[in-house]
Amino acid sequence: MRAVLDTNVFISGLFWRGNPFRCIQAAEAGLYELISADEILEELLEKLVEKFGNTPEEARESIAGLRRLATHVSLTGQTGWVPGDPDDDKFVDAAVVGNADIIVSGDQHLLQLSTLQGIAVMSPSAFLDRLARNG
């Protein structure tokens, strides 16, 4: 199984020990293949510094671990999938290019779409339930 995690899932997983953290742990354990792209990690870096007060060095260190963990894809730049928040198109783009099965998100703009391009969109909790059923 291949999955893209959105920026908010990464942030929650880095700072707290809830389901987003368990999603990252599952990737580390090899329970699924994490798909990511530079644009996603750049947004994460920006939020870690601007919203959470990390130094750029701290943020880069956190992201380095995620970068090593993920399979990286190059985005096509296609847009129009998430009309409510076009900035979220990068997650769909990464999922399509990376042949992902799932986009894991807490973002209502993505979750309300439930499926995009044949890719399921689900919360961290639903994703972990699916991993448990398939494991």
Side-chain angles (χ1 to χ4, degrees):
M1 182 181 319
R2 300 175 82 156
V4 171
L5 305 184
D6 81 3
T7 306
N8 292 324
V9 173
F10 279 133
I11 288 170
S12 293
L14 291 171
F15 286 102
W16 298 282
R17 298 295 182 242
N19 286 332
F21 175 72
R22 287 189 274 288
C23 290
I24 294 170
Q25 282 186 312
E28 290 170 341
L31 299 178
Y32 73 96
E33 184 178 352
L34 176 62
I35 305 296
S36 195
D38 286 340
E39 293 83 349
I40 294 169
L41 297 178
E42 287 166 11
E43 180 180 76
L44 177 58
L45 176 79
E46 178 183 303
K47 289 187 186 243
L48 289 173
V49 172
E50 293 178 9
K51 290 190 175 184
F52 291 91
N54 285 184
T55 66
E57 295 76 27
E58 290 169 333
R60 279 192 287 277
E61 186 176 312
S62 294
I63 290 168
L66 296 173
R67 189 176 298 278
R68 284 189 299 274
L69 181 61
T71 298
H72 286 271
V73 297
S74 296
L75 300 187
T76 65
Q78 186 170 343
T79 60
W81 286 302
V82 190
D85 189 355
D87 196 42
D88 288 342
D89 284 334
K90 67 179 154 289
F91 304 110
V92 182
D93 196 356
V96 170
V97 172
N99 295 312
D101 306 289
I102 299 167
I103 298 168
V104 183
S105 178
D107 185 311
Q108 289 306 309
H109 293 110
L110 283 167
L111 289 170
Q112 71 187 8
L113 300 172
S114 76
T115 303
L116 292 159
Q117 297 292 114
I119 301 162
V121 181
M122 57 183 63
S123 69
S125 175
F127 176 64
L128 291 169
D129 288 345
R130 184 162 172 183
L131 277 179
R133 283 193 311 271
N134 292 342

